[in-house]
Amino acid sequence: MPARRGLQDIRSYAGRDTSPGAEHKKYVRLSVLEMERARRQHEYEAARSRADMALARVQRLEGEIAEIIDAVRGVSGTAAAECDSNGEVHRRVEVKHTYGARRPRPDGGRTPRSTGGSR
């Protein structure tokens, strides 16, 4: 006698896409995803390039700032920063900056007195 069949043995097309373009839809979806991936990679590379250029400019600015501060303060010997020809800082020595502070006068801070001559 054959085994009895139950509800689980009934075959159904539920959940299956039997339309004629089912495989085609998968390939179209795959193509769309690959194109989006290519766009996102291009966006990432462009943003990375802009970030690298901005960082290089910041480093050049730091070098220029250090040079100007050194010139104003009269730093001799070890410079506050050493830059290559592109302006990138390779070595930095900490220098405390006091903006607007006056340097001591060579004559000890005395001001010359007027001799009482003509005004």
Side-chain angles (χ1 to χ4, degrees), residues 4-36:
R4 292 189 67 168
R5 292 183 163 205
L7 189 59
Q8 292 84 11
D9 297 324
I10 299 174
R11 294 186 184 206
S12 167
Y13 287 109
R16 293 185 189 172
D17 191 2
T18 58
S19 62
E23 291 297 317
H24 173 72
K25 287 180 184 179
K26 292 177 185 176
Y27 282 110
V28 168
R29 178 70 178 150
L30 180 64
S31 299
V32 167
L33 292 174
E34 287 177 349
M35 286 189 297
E36 183 179 359

Side-chain angles (χ1 to χ4, degrees), residues 59-60 62-64 66-67 79-93:
Q59 290 174 343
R60 286 192 305 270
E62 287 177 352
E64 288 182 36
E67 287 176 9
E82 290 183 359
C83 303
D84 63 7
S85 61
N86 294 332
E88 293 184 22
V89 177
H90 291 286
R91 186 171 65 94
R92 181 176 299 281
V93 177

Side-chain angles (χ1 to χ4, degrees), residues 27-96:
Y27 282 110
V28 168
R29 178 70 178 150
L30 180 64
S31 299
V32 167
L33 292 174
E34 287 177 349
M35 286 189 297
E36 183 179 359
R37 179 179 61 185
R39 272 195 315 272
R40 298 295 178 188
Q41 285 176 340
H42 183 72
E43 288 175 8
Y44 173 78
E45 291 167 2
R48 180 71 182 237
S49 174
R50 285 192 307 272
D52 289 344
M53 287 189 296
L55 181 61
R57 179 61 181 150
V58 166
Q59 290 174 343
R60 286 192 305 270
L61 290 171
E62 287 177 352
E64 288 182 36
I65 289 169
E67 287 176 9
I68 292 171
I69 290 174
D70 290 347
V72 168
R73 295 191 70 214
V75 174
S76 60
T78 305
E82 290 183 359
C83 303
D84 63 7
S85 61
N86 294 332
E88 293 184 22
V89 177
H90 291 286
R91 186 171 65 94
R92 181 176 299 281
V93 177
E94 291 298 320
V95 177
K96 292 185 179 181

